[in-house]
Amino acid sequence: MNAEVKSGQNQATLELQNVSRSYGDEWSQEHIIADFSLTVESNKLTVLVGPSGCGKSTLVNLIAGFDKPDSGKILLNGKQVTGPGQDRMVVFQETALMPWQTTRQNVVFGPKLRGERSDADIDAEANRLLDKVGLAEFKDKYPIQLSGGMQRRAELARAMINHPLIMIMDEPFRGLDAMSRELMQEFFVRLYEENRRTNLFVTSEIEEAIFLADRLVVLSNRPTSVRKVIDITLPRPRDFHMLSSTEAYEYKREAMELLHEEAMRSFNRASGSGLMDAIAGGGGGD
Amino acid sequence: MTLYRFKKALSTPTPYLMFFGIALWLGCYYLFVEGWQLPRFNKLPGPVEVITEWLNPNPDWGMSLFTPIYYEHTLVSCRRILIAFAIATGVGVPLGLFMGWSKTFRDYSFPILETLRPIPILAWVPLAILMFSGLETPVIYLATLASLFVTTLNTLLGVDSIDEEYFRAARCLGAKPHHVFMHVVIPGALPFIFTGLQISIGVAWFSLVAAEMVSGEFGLGYLIVDAYMNVTYVIMVIGMLTLGFVGWFSAALVRIAGNRMMEWRVRALALEGR
Ligand SMILES: Nc1ncnc2c1ncn2[C@@H]1O[C@H](COP(=O)(O)OP(=O)(O)OP(=O)(O)O)[C@@H](O)[C@H]1O
Ligand SMILES: [Mg+2]
């Protein structure tokens, strides 16, 4: 218990300084991320929202250390990120539980490999975490036997047992049906409010973003950079009713407008003619 | 539990369908050869004749379930398969795993594998005879070679089939390369490995019998050719059927071993209703 509380109070600031990444060769280079600067503040839930395909996973890969930026720096507590490490836990867009390990084996996988703690200690914490995410009964099942929502919770447990400085979640609830998605959002927000670690959450759903966020980062279109950071001051603990408040509505309108502008801008660039300007101008009323 | 799995593996198709299938097959065989006596089949012994001989304590042609020589041929072939399959698996699986895991090693070895693999096993016969003395080693060598290629290639494809996400997850959790090998590469490749092993044991039988037909004085392949030369067609058919049964049995053993090692996979397939 102690370790967990301590890590919750750990300072963890992630800084992205002018990060750029492009794919392709010299002749047909595609700039996915350009000049991306952002400070992910300690013990806050920062949500990145941007359309599908804008480069969110690319950015996550850079922060996780699976990929290197072409230019710019990524610093965690002032130290440059050079590769994957257990100080940054990623919950992936697609489920990445090892199908050949039971839920419990998946959860204890990291700590047991590293052998920093005694097995008894790890097992005790695993049981506690599995209890917390409501999977105590399913600990000896294989991932394939769990529902989509359960898999996501197992993944949360697998990340949390490592006490990372920062949790990075790449559209973790994508692909769940509306009902379990809502349940997972509620569950996740509870978990966060209980113990405020530094969290970077990536999504393409505005409502989800507003419901969860302390800080909402609206992304620009490709090449992706930060369009605007909005502080969300909805009270905590959150519940879904707050989403129908005028305050939430204002946030939503603002974010939607920004994203719409961005979408229009790239649409114009793609079509390369003034025609779309005319349409955008005409349809700007909605 | 083991017995249950055993029964289950043997009866992969629903049991009554299996019996129906066998009955249908035997019925046609009977009708073509002994019932209607079609001209094309008139040299062949019918099922009644074969089964009577097979179960005859005093066989007319000198061989049945009651003569030691029958078991000698069968056991010799089985022993050869066991050795060949063990070597092919022991070499092929690690080889395939390393080829899949290390890009450098793969770049070196893949062209060799790909040029040797398409050479039909019968084309290796002269080489095998030149390289190895005696009768036993060349035959085992040929069977090993054929199944080695299959096992290696399937293992390699198995490693390729592993989703990148699992490697990333493992590295994120602090896994060192040897951990990744043990906990991601091996278990991730197992389904392909066992599919490969089932094919490979079939290929081993195939090449073993081919080799035994060319050279040797024991084994089911030899028995079949020998019976053909001596115009003892009943024995030839007994040899063929025996091959069918031991081949099926050995593939079933591989399948059982696979299911035991991949419980997660059995669960997954069960969920899909298979
Ligand atoms: N390894 C790669 N090589 C070349 N192009 C890539 C590579 N990875 C991603 N891309 C391209 O980069 C763009 C952004 O991809 P990315 O997966 O980061 O987007 P995303 O915002 O996460 O999208 P989604 O909502 O679908 O998850 C896509 O157009 C994709 O085609
Ligand atoms: Mg993505």
Side-chain angles (χ1 to χ4, degrees):
Chain A
M1 198 66 207
N2 251 338
E4 200 176 336
V5 172
K6 246 190 283 163
S7 97
Q9 291 160 344
N10 269 357
Q11 292 295 308
T13 308
L14 181 78
E15 276 176 280
L16 294 123
Q17 300 174 347
N18 311 96
V19 171
S20 299
R21 180 76 174 101
S22 45
Y23 288 121
D25 46 41
E26 276 180 52
W27 294 277
S28 61
Q29 216 171 30
E30 244 200 293
H31 298 276
I32 308 290
I33 292 167
D35 208 18
F36 194 108
S37 296
L38 175 71
T39 302
V40 178
E41 289 173 9
S42 193
N43 302 336
K44 285 205 174 144
L45 209 169
T46 304
V47 178
L48 299 185
V49 62
S52 187
C54 77
K56 301 183 298 295
S57 298
T58 306
L59 191 70
V60 167
N61 285 341
L62 293 174
I63 299 169
F66 298 132
D67 191 11
K68 290 198 167 42
D70 297 331
S71 62
K73 272 188 192 163
I74 300 173
L75 307 168
L76 180 58
N77 283 345
K79 250 181 61 192
Q80 187 150 1
V81 165
T82 52
Q86 80 241 27
D87 49 354
R88 287 150 288 137
M89 277 294 142
V90 184
V91 174
F92 295 88
Q93 187 170 334
E94 317 295 340
T95 177
L97 293 168
M98 314 275 178
W100 42 84
Q101 296 178 346
T102 61
T103 309
R104 211 187 59 79
Q105 287 170 333
N106 263 293
V107 172
V108 300
F109 183 68
K112 289 236 163 132
L113 282 187
R114 299 194 303 270
E116 295 149 355
R117 296 190 267 162
S118 75
D119 278 7
D121 188 27
I122 297 169
D123 288 333
E125 191 179 358
N127 284 336
R128 203 157 37 71
L129 278 172
L130 282 168
D131 228 7
K132 193 171 192 164
V133 299
L135 290 177
E137 278 172 57
F138 295 87
K139 60 174 188 265
D140 293 320
K141 299 266 187 233
Y142 289 94
I144 187 90
Q145 298 169 288
L146 306 181
S147 72
M150 290 177 181
Q151 290 179 2
R152 302 329 307 227
R153 280 180 276 153
E155 248 167 306
L156 277 174
R158 181 172 76 168
M160 288 192 299
I161 199 169
N162 298 288
H163 306 293
L165 290 174
I166 177 170
M167 288 267 272
I168 305 159
M169 327 256 305
D170 186 5
E171 297 193 61
F173 308 145
R174 174 149 120 172
L176 297 180
D177 58 278
M179 188 68 194
S180 12
R181 188 167 185 144
E182 219 162 85
L183 288 172
M184 281 304 292
Q185 289 165 354
E186 234 167 1
F187 175 77
F188 180 70
V189 95
R190 276 303 85 73
L191 210 59
Y192 169 72
E193 281 160 0
E194 252 173 53
N195 183 3
R196 303 200 181 187
R197 319 156 182 273
T198 314
N199 241 300
L200 183 65
F201 191 104
V202 173
T203 182
S204 53
E205 289 258 315
I206 295 180
E207 296 225 345
E208 176 171 278
I210 293 171
F211 179 60
L212 300 175
D214 290 317
R215 294 175 80 223
L216 178 67
V217 179
V218 181
L219 301 177
S220 76
N221 248 67
R222 267 173 43 193
T224 299
S225 58
V226 175
R227 173 64 204 262
K228 188 167 185 199
V229 180
I230 305 171
D231 281 308
I232 306 279
T233 53
L234 295 175
R236 289 192 188 272
R238 300 252 169 106
D239 73 71
F240 277 111
H241 300 298
M242 293 178 190
L243 278 180
S244 39
S245 68
T246 31
E247 208 184 343
Y249 179 77
E250 274 307 308
Y251 289 134
K252 190 175 164 188
R253 201 185 49 77
E254 187 179 1
M256 293 274 275
E257 250 165 40
L258 289 168
L259 287 170
H260 186 254
E261 252 174 55
E262 286 299 325
M264 261 4 245
R265 194 181 298 175
S266 74
F267 200 54
N268 281 339
R269 204 166 18 197
S271 69
S273 78
L275 179 65
M276 289 301 155
D277 279 320
I279 296 173
D286 63 324
Chain B
M1 192 65 191
T2 318
L3 191 70
Y4 166 77
R5 274 174 214 267
F6 181 63
K7 269 160 68 185
K8 180 140 184 158
L10 277 181
S11 59
T12 332
T14 347
Y16 71 91
L17 282 181
M18 187 173 80
F19 284 118
F20 181 73
I22 292 176
L24 189 71
W25 182 81
L26 274 178
C28 289
Y29 180 23
Y30 174 77
L31 283 178
F32 287 169
V33 181
E34 287 174 345
W36 300 329
Q37 306 199 344
L38 299 181
R40 183 168 301 281
F41 296 95
N42 62 4
K43 289 209 184 72
L44 297 188
V48 176
E49 197 185 345
V50 170
I51 291 170
T52 331
E53 177 74 0
W54 210 351
L55 301 175
N56 191 349
N58 299 303
D60 302 334
W61 306 99
M63 209 183 75
S64 75
L65 280 178
F66 297 92
T67 58
I69 186 77
Y70 173 74
Y71 294 100
E72 189 152 358
H73 283 298
T74 311
L75 283 180
V76 163
S77 285
C78 286
R79 198 181 75 98
R80 288 171 177 163
I81 281 294
L82 202 66
I83 298 174
F85 184 69
I87 299 175
T89 308
V91 176
V93 171
L95 193 65
L97 287 174
F98 279 113
M99 281 174 77
W101 190 47
S102 152
K103 178 93 176 55
T104 330
F105 183 57
R106 181 201 196 126
D107 287 348
Y108 276 118
S109 47
F110 195 63
I112 307 177
L113 180 73
E114 280 305 278
T115 17
L116 293 184
R117 204 166 58 88
I119 303 175
I121 209 62
L122 282 177
W124 287 94
V125 170
L127 190 81
I129 294 171
L130 285 177
M131 277 171 69
F132 299 102
S133 58
L135 293 170
E136 198 68 8
T137 354
V139 171
I140 293 176
Y141 172 74
L142 289 171
T144 308
L145 202 61
S147 70
L148 177 67
F149 292 141
V150 176
T151 304
T152 311
L153 190 69
N154 264 280
T155 308
L156 171 64
L157 294 178
V159 181
D160 279 352
S161 78
I162 304 171
D163 223 322
E164 181 63 25
E165 307 274 302
Y166 302 130
F167 289 100
R168 289 189 168 173
R171 284 201 293 153
C172 193
L173 291 164
K176 299 262 176 340
H178 69 275
H179 293 135
V180 174
F181 190 76
M182 289 303 293
H183 296 285
V184 181
V185 174
I186 293 181
L190 269 190
F192 269 69
I193 293 180
F194 272 96
T195 313
L197 289 182
Q198 282 202 49
I199 303 171
S200 126
I201 199 151
V203 170
W205 275 109
F206 174 88
S207 14
L208 178 83
V209 169
E212 284 176 346
M213 285 180 157
V214 180
S215 75
E217 44 195 21
F218 276 110
L220 291 169
Y222 169 79
L223 176 72
I224 292 168
V225 175
D226 191 54
Y228 170 70
M229 304 278 213
N230 295 329
V231 209
T232 48
Y233 297 141
V234 176
I235 294 187
M236 184 182 84
V237 174
I238 291 178
M240 289 168 66
L241 290 175
T242 308
L243 258 182
F245 282 120
V246 281
W248 179 25
F249 187 69
S250 58
L253 284 181
V254 173
R255 193 154 52 233
I256 293 166
N259 288 349
R260 295 214 72 160
M261 287 178 71
M262 295 182 294
E263 207 180 333
W264 60 278
R265 183 106 178 127
V266 177
R267 299 281 163 82
L269 293 179
L271 274 182
E272 286 165 21
R274 283 199 264 156

